[in-house]
Structure formats: C-alpha cells, structure tokens
Amino acid sequence: MPEPLIVADNLVKQFPIKAGILQREVATVNAVAGVDLTIHRGETVGLVGESGCGKSTLGRTLVRLLTPTSGRVIFDGEDVTDLQGSKLKPFRRRAQIIFQDPYSSLDPRTQIGNSIAEGLRLHGVSNKDERQERVGEMLELVGLQPRHASRYPHEFSGGQRQRIGLARALILKPDFVVADEPVSALDVSVQAQVLNLLKELQQELDLTLLFVAHNLAVVEHMSDRVAVMYLGRVVEITDREHLYANPLHPYTEALLSAIPMPDPDRPRNRQILQGEVPSPIDPPSGCYFHPRCPIAVEGLCDVVDPELIPSSTNPAHRAACHVRCPSPARL
Ligand code: SF4
C-alpha cells in the first residue's frame, strides 16, 4: 500500500447560526462530525452521500478552503490544520479543487486563458510567455485548443467549461485534487466524457483524488475505495469491489438499490428510504441513521453511537453499524 498523502484526523467542521441584532449564536450546523479518513498517494477515494451530508464541506476542509473547527488535516506528513496566509501557499499549490458548477466558478468577463493562468500568477510565475505556453499545454491536455485561451466562458458548452475547470485546477501540477461533484451540473451525454478525461488525467499526472458525488453509479467508475457519508460522518468505507458486491451498512444498501439498472426486468431488492435526512443542527441520538433504518434495534441504535468497525471477514471493510458490524466488545 502506498504511503498516506492526506489524512483527516477526527475532523470536525461546524457553522454557527447567528440571529438578532447582536448576531448571537443560536445554533450550530454540524456539517462534518468527526471524520477519520486516509487517502494514499495515487489513490482515488469516492465520497458519496445525499445532499447536505457534509461531503463537499469535508472536501473543502481537506484542501483548507475552510478551517476545521477541530481535528487535524495532515498532508504529506505535515500538519496543515492551522496554516494561514503565506504559510498556506505551498500547500495550496499542491492541493486543488474542481468545482461542481464550472460556469459560476469562472469569471464571465475574463478570458479563459487568464482564468487558467491565475494560479501561476499567484504562485510567482511572472513571465507572461511562460504562462501562455503552460496554459496552451494545459488546454491541449484537457482536449481543447491553445487558441481557445482568448475566448470567454459563455462561448463554451457545459462540458467544455468543466474541461476549463480541470485545466485551472491542474495547471499548478497539484498532488491532491478534490473533485466536488464535477459532472452533476452537466448534461448526461457529456458526463462520461468528462469522467473519462478526469480518469486519464489522474493516471497521467499521478494525482491523488477525492471524488465527491451524490450517487454511487458515478463513483464506481472512478474510485479505488469508496467512503459513504451520512449526516457528517463516514458510515462505511472499503474498496470498490467489496462495497458494490457486499455492502454492510443499511444506508449504503439503500443508495445502491437506487442506482438505475440497464435491464428494468431484472429482479432487484429496491429499498426506499423513509423520511428525510435529519437536520445537522439537531442530529438524532445514537446512530444518526436510526430514524430511517429498516433494521434498527430499539434500545441500542437510538442510544449508542456506533463506531466505524472492521468487518470480521475483511479488516479493510469498515462500517458503523451495531447489527452488521458489531463491536467485538458487544459480541
Ligand atoms: Fe441501523 Fe442500528 Fe446499524 Fe444504525 S446501528 S445502521 S440504526 S442497524
């Protein structure tokens, strides 16, 4: 197994809700509620969960667009949790993010060549010719033409704009990239093209990737391992094959059963989740999933918070579930 590149150590990110003239804090949104996650060099980890489960916040906290409330972010052996200002700059160069909506992340009045070159300028590449050359190379790498550098975002299709987003994130040759739902704003017909491109670039540039998505079908194509998130916590993590063949957590089962099948006549055990995702302002007691869980055990699941425990048959497959992955202490 390659060495870890980025580690989330009991990472917590909360957002205060303020109200009144004095802007007193009246509640807290627990967006990321104690996540441990290790991503190894060259690996792609898929991060999946419903909207609002905290997966984008976790991605943004890992690349330090957000400062964690507590816990640590370790990058290449260095604690980057509290770095600010100029001390954060070397890390920024090595850790980048691709945003969901390429249109809103590009300035409509800036030529795309300048948008792509922005990172180079900020990181001290002052020679204009060199910047132009690097932008041209990057555009070719993502399947566009160097002459496109002088065009504006509105002159491109959604898929092309996401290619520009990839060029912008990769121009500094980062080691680690968070792809935050990079295809969910795109037409289905171009999603596969962008995913294939991202996979090719990942291999060619030896990137370590956290691929955030809200459905397991997209993640399967991309990931070595998959982590499933629910209400700010990772509830299951394992390699791709095990997750899709043998999910342990009832929430993962429900997500898997929601993937559309090419053959509608093939029998399947479709599970419809009851109710809404609870509010991260006031999460349920015990297992956060218990109000929606079809196999919840009264008196246990609503009381005791399950830990992420390795399964008895595969230590690399971990799930937070009293029933499917009981703690050895409870057996
Ligand atoms: Fe369901 Fe209980 Fe497992 Fe939570 S711990 S997923 S409520 S069975």
Side-chain angles (χ1 to χ4, degrees):
M1 174 72 79
E3 66 198 61
L5 180 65
I6 190 149
V7 178
D9 175 18
N10 197 16
L11 205 61
V12 172
K13 180 63 191 173
Q14 298 174 330
F15 297 100
I17 298 178
K18 295 182 175 170
I21 298 168
L22 297 176
Q23 286 289 289
R24 285 216 176 88
E25 189 175 328
V26 291
T28 304
V29 177
N30 300 291
V32 176
V35 167
D36 292 313
L37 180 67
T38 298
I39 307 176
H40 301 92
R41 209 174 276 277
E43 182 183 40
T44 298
V45 171
L47 185 64
V48 183
E50 290 163 285
S51 295
C53 72
K55 54 193 189 300
S56 290
T57 305
L58 175 59
R60 281 159 201 236
T61 309
L62 283 177
V63 292
R64 286 296 326 278
L65 286 183
L66 297 170
T67 299
T69 307
S70 65
R72 295 188 305 159
V73 179
I74 310 291
F75 180 75
D76 205 8
E78 187 195 354
D79 190 338
V80 297
T81 318
D82 299 315
L83 295 184
Q84 298 291 345
S86 60
K87 290 198 172 143
L88 198 53
K89 225 171 159 184
F91 171 67
R92 286 249 187 274
R93 187 174 189 138
R94 297 182 66 192
Q96 291 285 321
I97 186 163
I98 299 162
F99 292 102
Q100 175 180 354
D101 181 354
Y103 198 59
S104 63
S105 63
L106 290 168
D107 182 344
R109 290 159 303 175
T110 302
Q111 292 172 333
I112 59 117
N114 288 336
S115 290
I116 295 170
E118 196 181 338
L120 292 174
R121 265 196 309 277
L122 289 172
H123 287 271
V125 180
S126 53
N127 185 307
K128 197 176 169 198
D129 292 341
E130 187 186 339
R131 286 203 303 265
Q132 266 179 359
E133 194 183 322
R134 297 260 299 263
V135 167
E137 285 167 8
M138 211 62 227
L139 283 170
E140 281 187 330
L141 198 63
V142 300
L144 296 170
Q145 303 288 327
R147 63 186 161 82
H148 289 149
S150 58
R151 296 191 184 169
Y152 291 87
H154 72 268
E155 298 177 64
F156 295 92
S157 67
Q160 287 173 324
R161 283 199 288 261
Q162 195 52 294
R163 287 171 191 266
I164 296 163
L166 295 184
R168 199 157 72 139
L170 302 180
I171 191 131
L172 288 168
K173 301 196 173 112
D175 300 296
F176 174 58
V177 173
V178 171
D180 187 6
E181 305 225 29
V183 296
S184 44
L186 300 180
D187 197 273
V188 178
S189 60
V190 295
Q191 285 187 359
Q193 291 170 18
V194 174
L195 287 177
N196 287 335
L197 173 65
L198 187 55
K199 204 169 167 80
E200 281 168 25
L201 292 170
Q202 194 251 338
Q203 282 160 2
E204 196 163 324
L205 305 174
D206 197 22
L207 297 172
T208 303
L209 208 59
L210 180 69
F211 186 89
V212 179
H214 61 266
N215 94 50
L216 277 164
V218 173
V219 162
E220 184 176 12
H221 178 71
M222 295 294 300
S223 311
D224 302 307
R225 285 190 301 145
V226 180
V228 178
M229 231 177 139
Y230 187 77
L231 217 58
R233 292 172 167 176
V234 172
V235 295
E236 181 161 9
I237 181 164
T238 187
D239 57 75
R240 180 185 52 188
E241 289 79 16
H242 276 95
L243 191 97
Y244 288 81
N246 181 29
L248 291 175
H249 200 282
Y251 179 59
T252 312
E253 286 179 340
L255 289 182
L256 277 173
S257 81
I259 296 177
M261 301 283 276
D263 179 1
D265 295 330
R266 204 165 126 193
R268 66 188 315 206
N269 181 17
R270 183 81 205 265
Q271 295 176 29
I272 311 286
L273 277 178
Q274 302 299 320
E276 297 291 316
V277 182
S279 166
I281 297 172
D282 184 21
S285 59
C287 172
Y288 283 2
F289 189 57
H290 87 259
R292 305 172 81 192
C293 181
I295 58 165
V297 179
E298 212 182 317
L300 173 61
C301 298
D302 52 343
V303 178
V304 183
D305 182 11
E307 287 175 40
L308 207 52
I309 303 268
S311 104
S312 55
T313 53
N314 176 6
H317 190 165
R318 291 183 294 146
C321 176
H322 294 305
V323 175
R324 298 284 175 73
C325 229
S327 157
R330 292 189 174 277
L331 288 175

